[in-house]
Amino acid sequence: MSTQGNIDSVLTEKRVFECSGAFRSTAHIQSMADYERLYQEAETDPEKFWGGIAAELHWFKPWDKVCEWNCPWAKWFSGGEINLSYNCLDRHVATWRRNKAALIWEGETGEVQTLTYQQLLLEVSKFANVLKSLGVNKGDRVAIYMGMCPALPIAMLACARIGALHTVIFGGFSAHALVDRITDSQACLVITQDGSFRRGAEVKLKPAVDEAVPSCPSVKNVIVFQRTGTPQTMFGGRDHWWHELMAHASDECPAEPLDSEHPLYLLYTSGTTGKPKGILHTTGGYSVGTYITAKWVFDLKDEDVFWCTADLGWVTGHSYVLYGPLQNGATSLMYEGAPNFPEPDRFWRVIERHKVNVFYTAPTAIRAFMRFGAEWPLKHAMKSLRLLGTVGEPINPEAWMWYRENIGRNRCPIVDTWWQTETGMIMIAPLPGATPLKPGSATRALPGVIADVVTREGEPVPPGGGGYLVVKQPWPAMLRTIYGDPQRYVEQYWSQIPGMYFTGDGARKDEDGYFWIMGRIDDVITVSGHRLSTMEVESALVAHPKVAEAAVVARLDDFRGQAIAAFVTLKSGNAPSEELKNELRAWVAKEIGSLAKPDDVRFSDELPKTRSGKITRRLLKEIAAGGEVKGDTTTLEDLSVIARLSAQEE
Ligand code: WTA
């Protein structure tokens, strides 16, 4: 075990997978030598590097300066004028891509809708005119509370077209969460739909808006898209049907040339404490960052069908369902519903039906598929797949191997992509035609991203040691501020380790310069003076043949500072027992040392998760501490899980 850094690291993974010659030969970036060269170029002359990439997009007016950096305030491509909707649509409509599929949508109920670039441009232009007709101006905020249907990206692109800021609020959030976000953003208009389908039932959306809007005086109009057909109460003067407004709208709406630093969108992210933060992204830099990372990391080709399973309510949906792929002229697939409806092989059916080539999902989904069993994916040949990706959490090596074998059939590289709502774009990830892969590592920082692992004092931690993951230079898609709270932006991100962007994640770098992300710093346990990453203990647990998923948290312990509490779900066919508890404790002791041996093991059918699939360790901590759950539970996937866990006696 290494103890050089501030966080001890116990995970050692030795497997390495080289890219196949076949994949490499057609990849955008084909060797580590090419990667190193790009990385060097970007490090030596970032202005030239980013300027060269930006020049691949359409600018109404060229920029004067690539980056003005007055830490922590950045301006990218200042003086330039650009429009992201133009780069996603008009630029392709002027070429042979005009009649290429931009979006393919599959509803949970099975229907499919395809929008070509031309069709999408017409819809977006019409809806942009609708927004204007309701008095939405450049700079205004528009809240979007919808399910995964084509109207959602149309609404986002229409906002971008006229320079209004969208703030997409995930359709699983409550009316209460809507009030907070609408109030903070002072949105003047809300776009919603009657409902959306999930697991065969209707997720009602408009009723939550009806509950929220009376407490939001900034909202003047509500537009309602019809998806399920469930009758709605329409409030006169405030509510309008999408289809009625669209029927009369002109399909001509030139994209507004916007200053490169014009705000593009707000996306709220819940911090571990306090009120949600409105992360602000601006136009030019975000466009450039998402464009190039989508191209390089997913090796996007014109023939590809690209499927990122994230909801558009999260940053992953913003950057890699919509803006990154469309700027590349790619075909992006959207699916409305649950991964296991009507059966656990729905995702694999979608892949077969649309011949998906590149598939990007979350470790939490992969672990769920592991639990359903490999027989479900193995029913489907999925020969179209050529590349897989993950995002959102550390992926434990066992899940990585399962993904590689059962989904990628040992043929597809896996890109484990580390990034954040705040970074806007992928920061650390393999380039699939170049980077040798190590299961569980997001590998190297992308060219143009100067990331490092440092101590609390900002000193680099030698290879092998754990520390704080930071970014030392600005990058184009970085957040510009927290909306309405610049002080919090400075404190939270730029003051913890002065002069560096503080990610809040722990990580270690190995001797090859590969990053191993250990999760949020607040997910670190101190046992007998050693700081252990909960993720590493989880990884050891999940490597046990009977364990499907594990979450590990700290519990106060009189003797050792903190003790380790593990929450475990079992693979089907295994029953909880005292023997198994002891077996798991002994297993972890053997895998990573007795220091990391869980003091408590609790079994559960499910683990509590946020809507984006991250395990809510905060709540588990409260349970482990023996108290009742007091934390905010509005973002939980399944509240009954908490009740069951809380009720369970040790
Ligand atoms: C975690 C999602 C390990 C990390 C794009 C980060 C990851 C937080 C990875 C951001 C990864 C994301 N490996 N951890 N590949 N990707 N994370 O804002 O803790 O929803 O800080 O953005 O997710 O989550 P967010």
Side-chain angles (χ1 to χ4, degrees), residues 269 314-316 360 363 390-395 415-423 428 440 442 503-505 517-520 523 612 614:
T269 171
W314 310 117
V315 75
T316 308
Y360 186 37
T390 74
V391 61
E393 284 178 90
I395 179 164
V415 287
D416 173 355
T417 63
W418 178 88
W419 59 296
Q420 306 177 300
T421 304
E422 292 88 340
T423 70
I428 303 177
T503 65
D505 281 349
I517 312 297
M518 305 198 290
R520 306 293 301 166
D523 298 338
S612 65
K614 289 191 214 308

Side-chain angles (χ1 to χ4, degrees), residues 288-609:
V288 172
T290 53
Y291 161 72
I292 197 63
T293 51
K295 177 170 172 177
W296 281 348
V297 177
F298 301 114
D299 193 43
L300 282 184
K301 305 285 168 47
D302 262 314
E303 309 76 48
D304 284 335
V305 175
F306 175 71
W307 185 19
C308 166
T309 66
D311 192 284
L312 278 162
W314 310 117
V315 75
T316 308
H318 284 59
S319 297
Y320 300 107
V321 173
L322 188 57
Y323 292 126
L326 261 51
Q327 284 187 94
N328 279 282
T331 298
S332 183
L333 182 91
M334 289 171 68
Y335 166 63
E336 177 183 42
N340 56 348
F341 186 85
E343 290 198 293
D345 64 346
R346 180 59 180 269
F347 269 19
W348 323 128
R349 283 184 188 277
V350 172
I351 288 175
E352 276 295 6
R353 186 173 184 193
H354 303 282
K355 304 293 174 227
V356 171
N357 305 101
V358 182
F359 176 67
Y360 186 37
T361 195
T364 181
I366 297 167
R367 288 192 300 265
F369 295 130
M370 289 172 76
R371 257 177 95 193
F372 300 148
E375 62 271 25
W376 292 101
L378 294 178
K379 280 187 194 169
H380 305 275
M382 299 195 277
K383 289 208 185 85
S384 57
L385 286 178
R386 63 181 195 88
L387 177 60
L388 305 176
T390 74
V391 61
E393 284 178 90
I395 179 164
N396 44 292
E398 287 317 305
W400 196 98
M401 290 303 297
W402 187 93
Y403 194 30
R404 178 180 159 85
E405 283 161 18
N406 297 290
I407 310 303
R409 310 288 154 89
N410 297 315
R411 180 186 72 231
C412 306
I414 297 177
V415 287
D416 173 355
T417 63
W418 178 88
W419 59 296
Q420 306 177 300
T421 304
E422 292 88 340
T423 70
M425 66 185 218
I426 297 172
M427 303 288 277
I428 303 177
L431 297 175
T435 318
L437 307 174
K438 302 186 188 182
S441 170
T443 77
R444 306 269 301 263
L446 293 181
V449 173
I450 312 299
D452 204 356
V453 175
V454 301
T455 63
R456 256 275 168 223
E457 293 68 47
E459 295 300 321
V461 174
Y468 300 89
L469 179 64
V470 296
V471 186
K472 294 179 160 174
Q473 295 288 330
W475 65 99
M478 64 189 273
L479 80 166
R480 296 300 192 269
T481 191
I482 293 175
Y483 191 68
D485 200 350
Q487 195 52 37
R488 192 169 173 200
Y489 166 73
V490 176
E491 278 161 16
Q492 184 129 11
Y493 300 110
W494 296 94
S495 306
Q496 312 270 346
I497 300 177
M500 297 181 194
Y501 171 77
F502 184 74
T503 65
D505 281 349
R508 89 187 143 86
K509 252 194 325 186
D510 67 16
E511 48 299 332
D512 298 323
Y514 278 46
F515 288 86
W516 298 78
I517 312 297
M518 305 198 290
R520 306 293 301 166
I521 301 289
D522 22 328
D523 298 338
V524 165
I525 305 186
T526 312
V527 190
S528 307
H530 294 276
R531 302 191 68 189
L532 294 171
S533 148
T534 54
M535 178 257 154
E536 293 186 311
V537 183
E538 287 163 7
S539 235
L541 281 165
V542 176
H544 188 282
K546 292 182 185 163
V547 173
E549 197 162 27
V552 166
V553 296
R555 170 169 73 61
L556 276 183
D557 182 276
D558 291 346
F559 292 104
R560 293 175 306 154
Q562 290 186 326
I564 301 175
F567 295 82
V568 170
T569 62
L570 296 173
K571 288 191 182 146
S572 54
N574 298 291
S577 68
E578 274 311 307
E579 295 79 73
L580 188 53
K581 276 189 190 176
N582 292 331
E583 189 180 322
L584 293 178
R585 300 179 67 234
W587 171 271
V588 175
K590 189 175 111 293
E591 290 279 297
I592 49 181
S594 53
L595 186 65
K597 186 158 94 178
D599 299 85
D600 319 334
V601 175
R602 296 190 188 202
F603 298 107
S604 165
D605 296 346
E606 301 249 17
L607 294 175
K609 295 197 181 125

Side-chain angles (χ1 to χ4, degrees), residues 13-34:
E13 170 60 52
K14 295 276 180 253
R15 288 169 286 203
V16 178
F17 295 89
E18 294 283 344
C19 175
S20 74
F23 189 99
R24 188 179 301 267
S25 66
T26 64
H28 287 305
I29 294 169
Q30 306 191 343
S31 70
M32 277 312 261
D34 286 349

